[in-house]
Amino acid sequence: MQGKTWKGASPKALAEIRVLLIRRGAVEDTDLRNPYEAWRVRIEKSVFTGYRSGTIYCSGGDIPELAFLYKSISEIVGPV
């Protein structure tokens, strides 16, 4: 599945998505090199990054759960 970007997430939505991903087995990167990143988590080879600006990016990948995660994130971010 290809990568995806969401824009306009509130700080509350960013926090909620981070928790959702960790509950789904994501491992948090503790070494954030970009000052604009709020958090970065990995599920296998898929990397999800939440930015302080309200943008969330996923690198994509082939994990079966990705379609469900994309849908869940879209529901949390809401219409833009």
Side-chain angles (χ1 to χ4, degrees):
M1 188 170 272
Q2 291 188 338
K4 185 162 174 63
T5 301
W6 297 264
K7 294 187 180 221
S10 68
K12 181 182 177 202
L14 275 175
E16 194 174 329
I17 291 163
R18 180 180 156 269
V19 169
L20 167 79
L21 293 169
I22 289 171
R23 279 193 198 140
R24 291 289 177 179
V27 177
E28 194 159 16
D29 282 4
T30 55
D31 184 24
L32 300 179
R33 295 189 181 114
N34 183 332
Y36 302 105
E37 291 180 5
W39 49 262
R40 187 182 334 124
V41 298
R42 298 172 189 270
I43 301 176
E44 295 181 24
K45 293 184 180 179
S46 299
V47 180
F48 291 83
T49 308
Y51 293 91
R52 298 182 193 284
S53 65
T55 298
I56 299 161
Y57 173 73
C58 177
S59 64
D62 58 1
I63 60 172
E65 199 172 11
L66 213 48
F68 168 78
L69 291 172
Y70 280 9
K71 182 177 182 282
S72 298
I73 292 169
S74 293
E75 288 172 358
I76 294 169
V77 171
V80 180

